[in-house]
Structure formats: C-alpha cells, structure tokens
Amino acid sequence: MADINGIAEQIQGLTLLEAAQLVKLLEEKLGVSAAAAAVAAAPAAGAAAGAAAAPAEEKTEFNVILTSAGANKINVIKAVREVTSLGLKEAKDLVDGAPKAIKEGVSKEEAETIKKKFTEAGATVEVK
C-alpha cells in the first residue's frame, strides 16, 4: 500500500501548473473527469442534491451577532448567560468584545427569540 501521507506532502509541494498536469494525467489514466467527481462529491458532503436546481433555497441556519452592548451591560451579560452556557467571565468578555457571535447555526425562530431578548436588555443584535 502506498504511503498516503508522503503522497499528500508531494502534492502540496506542486506548483499550480504541475497540479493541473497531474489532474489531466489522472483523468486520462483513470478515465474520469475531475468536474464529474466534484459534482458527485457535493451530495456526499452534505449538500442537497437539488441545490443546483434551486439556488433560491430558503436559509435554515442563522447566526446571532451582538453588535453593541448598549448602556446596560449587566442586563446584556445576564442575557448572554441565559442564551449560552458561558460563565460570568466568558459572558462579560463576549459583551466587551462586541461585535461577536452569540449563537451560530440556530433556527429562524430561535434567532428571533434571542434577538428579542437582547433588544429588551438594551443591546443591538444582528441576525445573519
């Protein structure tokens, strides 16, 4: 069996032109196309099979970003602790370091709930 780590290191050392030549050579020897392999790998990587056919797909995961703590930092820190599992020091550091992500990859409903909670605490929050 080939030394896969050694091969990976050799590939990383190739110039762009050499890498393109390698791709062409492998396509010829193996009878495949790199473009077809990329399309076939996309569904395996977790992308929806119909993603190319429906580019206007609705976003399902959102990030809630604290842009400004506002005047009442204590209430904002309390809100951070309620929403996340951070300790007091970590929550304070997050609030002091704004703009920072509070939660990532949440549903639209959860993002809106979090935004409402922070707005009530006096913070400025952005949902992306």
Side-chain angles (χ1 to χ4, degrees):
M1 182 158 188
D3 177 26
I4 295 176
N5 290 330
I7 295 170
E9 287 176 18
Q10 288 177 342
I11 290 173
Q12 287 176 334
L14 295 177
T15 65
L16 190 56
L17 182 59
E18 291 169 335
Q21 290 172 342
L22 175 63
V23 169
K24 284 182 185 178
L25 178 69
L26 289 174
E27 285 177 341
E28 291 171 9
K29 288 204 178 229
L30 301 176
V32 295
S33 171
V39 171
E57 196 172 305
E58 188 174 332
K59 189 174 178 180
T60 57
E61 290 187 352
F62 296 86
N63 297 335
V64 183
I65 316 278
L66 175 67
T67 54
S68 171
N72 199 345
K73 272 188 181 179
I74 294 173
N75 286 343
V76 177
I77 292 169
K78 287 178 183 177
V80 168
R81 293 197 65 206
E82 286 177 31
V83 172
T84 66
S85 60
L86 296 176
L88 182 59
K89 183 182 182 327
E90 292 84 3
K92 182 183 180 303
D93 291 344
L94 187 143
V95 171
D96 289 340
K100 286 220 174 173
I102 299 168
K103 268 206 154 177
E104 297 177 334
V106 296
S107 67
K108 187 173 185 175
E109 295 81 24
E110 187 176 356
E112 291 301 322
T113 304
I114 293 169
K115 182 177 179 178
K116 182 180 177 190
K117 186 175 291 203
F118 279 88
T119 306
E120 289 172 356
T124 308
V125 178
E126 190 175 288
V127 176
K128 290 186 178 183

